[in-house]
Amino acid sequence: MSEYRDVQTAVRVEKLRIWFAWICGNIIMLILANGTKDVHIVSVITQVLFAVGFIALTVALFRMTGALNRKAAAARREVLGDDA
């Protein structure tokens, strides 16, 4: 059972790291977008890039979280002997 707890702890830590990176990336993009808001053409380009970056970071976040969930489920099945 200790092995399962180790896997769960590792997955939880990795999820926290992923969420922290997502938040930091979005904050950096917001700061950059806010810094260029007075320059009209640069502001438009920055806002478009921010929207694309936000979508890319969000997709990556959920893909990585899903992969970690599958890894944790496989470890649970292995430790507990579930066939499902």
Side-chain angles (χ1 to χ4, degrees):
M1 202 59 154
S2 176
E3 179 183 334
Y4 177 63
R5 186 175 302 135
D6 292 342
V7 171
Q8 289 293 72
T9 302
V11 167
R12 186 172 33 256
V13 168
E14 286 301 314
K15 283 183 182 181
L16 285 174
R17 287 181 181 171
I18 292 168
W19 277 100
F20 183 72
W22 181 80
I23 289 169
C24 288
N26 283 319
I27 288 172
I28 290 169
M29 286 191 294
L30 280 172
I31 291 169
L32 292 174
N34 190 36
T36 61
K37 68 181 177 186
D38 294 331
V39 183
H40 295 293
I41 190 67
V42 175
S43 176
V44 171
I45 293 169
T46 305
Q47 288 176 2
V48 169
L49 289 175
F50 173 70
V52 170
F54 174 77
I55 291 169
L57 284 174
T58 303
V59 168
L61 167 84
F62 284 107
R63 286 181 53 95
M64 292 174 79
T65 302
L68 285 171
N69 286 339
R70 287 189 297 277
K71 181 178 180 180
R76 183 184 70 75
R77 283 192 302 272
E78 180 182 321
V79 170
L80 299 177
D82 292 346
D83 292 330

